[in-house]
Amino acid sequence: MARGGTGGGTDADVVAAAREVATDPDASDFLRELARETLTDLSPADERMPEPWRYAEPIGPDPLPAPVVPESAPLVEADPTSATVAPAVEPVEQVTAPGHPGTPEADKPRGRAVAWPVILLALPAFVAIWSGWVGLGGLTGFGVVHPLPGIADSVSLNTAITLPIGVETYGAYALYVWLSGRVPDRARRFAKWSAIGSLVVGALGQVAYHLLVAAGWTSAPWWITTLVSCLPVAVLGMGAALAHLVREDAR
């Protein structure tokens, strides 16, 4: 290409034509390369067209290259069956540490103890205790009385039966309250000591009767008569007190 000249184009015209060729996508590679070289030679340093195929140096670190995905590549859908499934956790049976061989298991069902053998034990004891108390009552002044004089003179009652009924019945009741564990502490303590006292008094009454009969006594000494005559009153008072203490937590 000629520079200047009267018969040809000026440098500006040549630059303009070269720019068109350099940016024309339909031009051949050879023409575009020739146009670029022409622009480099003719354009001033400060007016040269920035070459579209060159880029300024990036400032800072190089960016990560974007992944190139071919346009013809098919879309791959995630396989739902390939997802990792957490394995099911099987329940682990809890193992109870073995205890002492003599220690009973707390959660093992227990049957209730039978109570019918107590009847067999009570029958002979009842006969012996009843006869002993009635005999001692006869030696200490307890005897046959008419409780309804003028109303039913034929009705009679041997007051000696009040001893076994009162003393032994209260002893059994107090023993039950003591060992039941379902009463207030005050009632339980009172039942404990009164049950022990009642059983001791019952045993002493049986001993006194058999000793008096074995010795041939027809009446008991005065001090035995005094103690025996106070038993019904004492039993009544202890029974009322124990019933009051048992119902104490109900208020």
Side-chain angles (χ1 to χ4, degrees):
M1 293 182 182
R3 287 174 174 263
T6 58
T10 64
D11 292 344
D13 296 334
V14 175
V15 170
R19 286 183 177 178
E20 292 179 3
V21 175
T23 57
D24 187 3
D26 296 333
S28 63
D29 294 340
F30 174 75
L31 292 178
R32 283 185 291 180
E33 183 66 24
L34 182 61
R36 292 166 185 162
E37 294 178 357
T38 303
L39 290 174
T40 303
D41 295 338
L42 298 180
S43 298
D46 54 348
E47 294 181 0
R48 291 178 182 175
M49 177 182 177
E51 298 177 358
W53 60 91
R54 297 180 181 176
Y55 299 93
E57 292 294 332
I59 300 175
D62 294 339
L64 295 176
V68 179
V69 180
E71 295 182 358
S72 61
L75 296 177
V76 179
E77 297 181 358
D79 188 2
T81 60
S82 62
T84 304
V85 180
V89 179
E90 297 181 358
V92 180
E93 183 179 359
Q94 185 177 2
V95 179
T96 304
H100 193 273
T103 304
E105 297 180 3
D107 56 348
K108 184 178 181 180
R110 301 178 181 178
R112 299 183 61 182
V114 295
W116 61 264
V118 179
I119 300 176
L120 298 179
L121 296 174
L123 287 177
F126 174 79
V127 173
I129 292 172
W130 185 275
S131 61
W133 275 119
V134 171
L136 183 61
L139 296 177
T140 56
F142 289 85
V144 178
V145 297
H146 297 280
L148 300 174
I151 300 176
D153 295 334
S154 61
V155 177
S156 61
L157 177 66
N158 191 341
T159 57
I161 66 173
T162 59
L163 297 175
I165 293 177
V167 176
E168 303 303 332
T169 301
Y170 176 78
Y173 173 62
L175 187 65
Y176 168 76
V177 173
W178 170 28
L179 300 178
S180 66
R182 294 178 293 180
V183 296
D185 293 339
R186 291 180 59 193
R188 189 168 181 268
R189 287 194 300 269
F190 183 85
K192 172 184 177 180
W193 295 113
S194 61
I196 294 174
S198 179
L199 295 177
V200 171
V201 170
L204 292 177
Q206 299 299 314
V207 171
Y209 169 71
H210 288 286
L211 289 178
L212 292 174
V213 171
W217 291 60
T218 57
S219 61
W222 68 268
W223 57 273
I224 293 181
T225 302
T226 302
L227 294 177
V228 172
S229 61
C230 294
L231 288 179
V233 180
V235 168
L236 176 61
M238 290 188 299
L242 182 57
H244 175 76
L245 293 174
V246 167
R247 296 176 58 86
E248 186 177 23
D249 60 342
R251 296 192 299 272

